[in-house]
Amino acid sequence: MLSVRGGLSYTVSVTIPYRPALAGLEPYGAPQLDVPVTLNVNENPYPPSAEMIADIAAAVADAAASLNRYPDRDFLALRADLADYLAAESGVRLSPEQVWAANGSNEVMLHILLAFAGPGRTVISFTPTYSMYVEYARDTFSEWQTLPRRDDFSLDLEKLPEELARIRPAVILLASPNNPTGTALTGDELSAVLDAAKGNGPADAPGSDCLVVVDEAYGEFRRDGVPSALELLADHDNLIVSRTMSKAFGAAGLRLGYLGAAKEIVDQLQIVRLPYHLSAVTQAAARAALRHSASQLSQIAALREGRDAIVRRLHSLGLDTAPTDANFVMFGTFPDRSEIFTRVLDRGVLIREVGPAGWLRVSVGTPEENEAFFDALEEAMK
Ligand SMILES: Cc1ncc(COP(=O)(O)O)c(C=O)c1O
C-alpha cells in the first residue's frame, strides 16, 4: 500500500488500476455534522407541511403496489407537472417534451455534459462558481476552462466574443444566482452571452452554437425584476435552463432536478440517461410534492426578507457582502476565515468555508437560526 497523502488515513494500493486523474482524490461534499444549526448547504430550513407529508406517503404507498415493475422510463406525467410548476412560477409555458428530470440537478448537468461535451470538447464557466462544475467536466472527460468575474462577481463580458471564438466551447455553464457569490445575471448579460455563443460552438461541429446552460438552482429567490432565463427559451435553441426542487421548494431529500430546453435537446439527453434512472418512488413523491407548490413557495418571501436582514446586519458589523439574489450570503473578508468558521462551529452553527480567500458563506435559516448565527459570529469575531 502506498500512502499518497502524508498524514491522512487514505491509502492507494499499487495493485488497483486507478484512473490517474482520480487517484487520491476525495469525494465532493460539504461536511455533514450533527450540530444544532446547519446553515451550510443552502437548504430551505422549513420542513414539509403535515398535508404534504401525508400526500407523499399515500402516493409512495400507491407506487409500492407495483414495485415489481420497472418505473415509467419517460415519466411524461411528472414532466407535465414540472411544466405546470414553471408556468406558474415564471409565466413561461413549456410542453412536457421540453422538460427533463433526474436525481437532482447534479445528475441533470451530468446528462448535459455526457450528451454535448466529452473528449476533445471544452466546457467553460466564470469563476468563482459552483465547485461541482469542474467535476462534471472531469467525469465526462471534457476539457475545462474558466473565465474571470469582476471584483463585484458580475461577468466580465467585454472580451467574451473573442474568448469564445478562441476556445470554441461546447457548453457554457452559468449559475444564476451564482453559488457561492449569490450574483444573478441581468437580462443584458444573458443576451450578451447568447449572442456571443452564436456560431462559436465546438470545432468538430462547424457552424454550431455553444450550448448555454443557465443553472437556476436558486432561481425562485431572485429579486423582482430579475428575469428567469426561461423567458428566452422560445428564441434560443441553444439555451438550457436547469432548476431543482432542493432549494426554494424545500425538498432536497427528494433528489429531483429538472430542466427546460428545446425538444431536440431533451431528445438527445435521453440517449445518455441510464434506463429507469428516476425510480417510481421518486416520481410518485415528486408529483405529490408538486401539488403543494403554493404552500411551499409561500415561504420564499420570508426567506428573501431573512436574506436582506442578514446582509444589513453583516454590514452593521463592518463586514462586506457579495450582492445576492439567492438564499445565502457570502460575507467577509477575514484574514483567517478558517478560524472564524471553527469558532462559529464551536458555538453550534455550521456555515461554509467556500469561495475566494477570506470569504465565508451562510444560508438563510429560520429567524431563530439566523439569530443563533449572529450570536456565534459576534462571539467569534471578538
Ligand atoms: C448552483 C447549484 N447548482 C446545482 C446544485 C445541485 O442541486 P441538486 O443536485 O440538489 O438539485 C447546487 C447545490 O448546492 C447549486 O448550488
Side-chain angles (χ1 to χ4, degrees):
M1 298 291 248
L2 174 73
S3 173
V4 292
R5 303 156 190 228
L8 292 180
S9 56
Y10 258 72
T11 52
V12 171
S13 161
V14 289
T15 60
I16 291 177
Y18 289 103
R19 254 180 72 189
L22 302 185
L25 297 185
E26 287 189 53
Y28 172 85
Q32 289 192 308
L33 304 179
D34 188 13
V35 291
V37 179
T38 49
L39 300 174
N40 67 331
V41 285
N42 307 333
E43 297 152 327
N44 184 327
Y46 297 105
S49 66
E51 293 78 17
M52 181 164 139
I53 294 169
D55 251 15
I56 290 175
V60 169
D62 205 33
S66 42
L67 279 186
N68 55 316
R69 301 291 177 193
Y70 282 109
D72 176 357
R73 217 172 22 215
D74 298 324
F75 53 89
L76 273 164
L78 172 58
R79 288 157 72 190
D81 290 351
L82 289 166
D84 287 346
Y85 172 85
L86 289 178
E89 197 277 328
S90 69
V92 176
R93 167 56 65 186
L94 303 179
S95 69
E97 290 77 15
Q98 288 180 276
V99 175
W100 184 241
N103 295 282
S105 50
N106 286 150
E107 191 183 19
V108 165
M109 291 283 179
L110 193 64
H111 285 173
I112 295 171
L113 295 205
L114 283 169
F116 294 103
R121 290 191 162 198
T122 303
V123 178
I124 68 162
S125 191
F126 292 77
T127 49
T129 193
Y130 183 40
S131 37
M132 275 302 295
Y133 291 165
V134 61
E135 298 207 7
Y136 306 142
R138 178 199 68 197
D139 296 346
T140 57
F141 304 89
S142 315
E143 295 298 320
W144 168 250
Q145 287 196 33
T146 59
L147 296 174
R149 287 176 183 259
R150 297 198 188 96
D151 286 348
D152 66 355
F153 305 115
S154 62
L155 301 191
D156 194 348
L157 293 171
E158 227 166 85
K159 296 207 184 93
L160 189 65
E162 290 159 49
E163 294 284 17
L164 295 190
R166 179 179 62 81
I167 301 172
R168 309 284 303 271
V171 180
I172 305 173
L173 293 176
L174 286 170
S176 179
N178 183 44
N179 180 9
T181 61
T183 328
L185 286 175
T186 64
D188 286 349
E189 286 174 319
L190 208 47
S191 301
V193 174
L194 285 161
D195 284 347
K198 288 273 166 231
N200 279 324
D204 63 4
S208 67
D209 302 331
C210 319
L211 264 191
V212 178
V213 180
V214 182
D215 176 356
E216 292 190 350
Y218 304 96
E220 291 98 331
F221 295 111
R222 69 192 182 279
R223 285 166 201 283
D224 294 340
V226 174
S228 164
L230 289 166
E231 294 170 28
L232 300 177
L233 272 179
D235 297 325
H236 297 276
D237 278 353
N238 60 327
L239 175 62
I240 299 179
V241 185
S242 164
R243 291 277 185 116
T244 181
M245 292 178 76
S246 298
K247 307 296 181 181
F249 198 92
L254 183 60
R255 305 308 297 130
L256 202 292
Y258 55 103
L259 60 75
K263 178 181 177 299
E264 292 72 11
I265 298 232
V266 173
D267 290 347
Q268 202 64 17
L269 297 175
Q270 300 197 35
I271 295 181
V272 299
R273 59 111 179 91
L274 293 175
Y276 315 111
H277 68 289
L278 263 194
S279 83
V281 170
T282 300
Q283 293 182 37
R287 294 197 68 201
L290 284 164
R291 289 198 283 277
H292 297 266
S293 299
S295 64
Q296 288 302 102
L297 297 190
S298 65
Q299 300 153 349
I300 287 177
L303 291 168
R304 280 196 199 132
E305 278 166 29
R307 166 193 68 201
D308 295 340
I310 288 175
V311 168
R312 284 193 297 273
R313 196 150 159 199
L314 287 166
H315 289 170
S316 77
L317 294 177
L319 293 166
D320 201 2
T321 60
T324 174
D325 269 60
N327 66 331
F328 54 83
V329 184
M330 195 174 81
F331 65 98
T333 56
F334 302 99
D336 184 351
R337 69 170 173 186
S338 299
E339 191 186 357
I340 299 289
F341 169 84
T342 307
R343 287 194 193 166
V344 170
L345 180 59
D346 287 344
R347 289 160 179 83
V349 182
L350 180 60
I351 57 173
R352 192 84 182 263
E353 203 179 339
V354 68
W359 295 86
L360 293 166
R361 194 192 69 196
V362 64
S363 312
V364 181
T366 61
E368 296 73 29
E369 288 172 329
N370 299 340
E371 210 47 51
F373 161 65
F374 276 106
D375 287 349
L377 181 66
E378 284 173 26
E379 280 288 312
M381 284 172 62
K382 272 184 190 158

